[in-house]
């Protein structure tokens, strides 16, 4: 199953990606996108509400093959260009699912930042050596794959993972993507 392209030619991603034992990926890699469960999650319903100053979009998804249900909730405050996302899974099927991963937010094609003028930022956060911010040109972190075969998206990824049970052990659970040409930035925190 090929993922649909969005207006700027980027690949559209499912709102929730889930990996589970016995349910693979469409692409042979260790990335947590292109999962078979994620692409099978179908829209069941959605609701738009308000919680005080927050706009709330709730999207309900369901996989008819396994019975897995996902509820993705997106919150954005009035007047602040920020987004908070969370996902809750329920097994409504008869068989046990052994989950390996679930994304809280997947985004694709949402920015016009150019790979050649962007930097990725992250911070090392070891004991007694905290908040050591580093940057790397995004093109160096995500090289363009060449060769005879052309893929709709790169197989490579840039990943930073914490160590241990503290979310900030080894690296801060946040990062940034900064475009040197436009001055625009995307900042995230997990």
């Amino acid at each position: 199953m090929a993922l649909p392209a969005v207006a700027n030619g980027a690949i559209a991603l499912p709102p929730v990606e889930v990996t589970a034992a016995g349910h693979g990926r469409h692409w042979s890699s260790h990335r947590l996108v292109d999962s078979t469960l994620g692409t099978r999650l179908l829209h069941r319903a959605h609701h738009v509400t308000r919680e005080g100053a927050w706009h709330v979009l709730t999207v309900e998804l369901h996989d008819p093959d396994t019975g897995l249900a996902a509820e993705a909730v997106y919150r954005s405050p009035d007047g602040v260009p920020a987004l908070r996302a969370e996902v809750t899974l329920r097994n409504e099927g008869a068989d046990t699912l052994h989950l390996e991963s679930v994304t809280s937010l997947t985004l694709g094609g949402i920015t016009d930042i150019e790979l050649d003028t962007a930097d990725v930022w992250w911070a090392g956060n070891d004991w007694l050596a905290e908040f050591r911010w580093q940057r790397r040109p995004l093109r160096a972190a995500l090289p363009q794959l060449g060769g005879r075969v052309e893929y709709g998206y790169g197989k490579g990824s840039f990943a930073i993972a914490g160590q241990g049970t503290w979310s900030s052990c080894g690296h801060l659970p946040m990062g940034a993507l900064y475009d040197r040409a436009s001055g625009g930035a995307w900042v995230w925190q997990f």
Side-chain angles (χ1 to χ4, degrees):
M1 166 184 272
L3 295 173
V6 292
N8 64 359
I11 301 298
L13 296 172
V16 176
E17 289 280 12
V18 180
T19 60
H23 301 272
R25 296 174 186 85
H26 290 291
W27 188 252
S28 176
S29 75
H30 297 290
R31 296 178 345 157
L32 301 177
V33 295
D34 301 328
S35 66
T36 57
L37 280 173
T39 56
R40 286 197 319 247
L41 286 170
L42 303 176
H43 177 268
R44 191 188 307 198
H46 67 276
H47 315 280
V48 177
T49 58
R50 298 252 329 173
E51 293 176 359
W54 291 81
H55 300 266
V56 181
L57 170 63
T58 302
V59 180
E60 297 176 23
L61 305 162
H62 183 259
D63 173 22
D65 292 352
T66 62
L68 181 67
E71 180 182 80
V73 180
Y74 307 100
R75 291 181 173 84
S76 182
D78 282 336
V80 179
L83 178 68
R84 178 184 292 169
E86 63 186 65
V87 172
T88 303
L89 298 178
R90 286 182 318 282
N91 186 355
E92 298 175 355
D95 296 329
T96 300
L97 285 172
H98 298 279
L99 298 178
E100 296 173 350
S101 69
V102 59
T103 58
S104 55
L105 180 65
T106 55
L107 300 172
I110 62 163
T111 179
D112 58 358
I113 291 177
E114 294 292 329
L115 292 178
D116 294 322
T117 61
D119 291 331
V120 62
W121 288 77
W122 70 96
N125 201 56
D126 293 320
W127 189 263
L128 299 178
E130 299 169 328
F131 307 111
R132 292 172 293 122
W133 283 95
Q134 304 171 53
R135 74 172 174 84
R136 175 186 286 178
L138 189 59
R139 178 55 77 197
L142 300 172
Q144 186 172 359
L145 300 177
R148 294 183 350 208
V149 179
E150 291 292 327
Y151 299 104
Y153 48 92
K155 187 175 178 181
S157 66
F158 178 76
I160 299 290
Q163 305 160 353
T165 57
W166 290 4
S167 65
S168 60
C169 183
H171 294 93
L172 288 181
M174 62 183 303
L177 185 62
Y178 173 72
D179 187 351
R180 296 182 306 275
S182 70
W186 284 85
V187 180
W188 60 89
Q189 179 181 351
F190 297 101

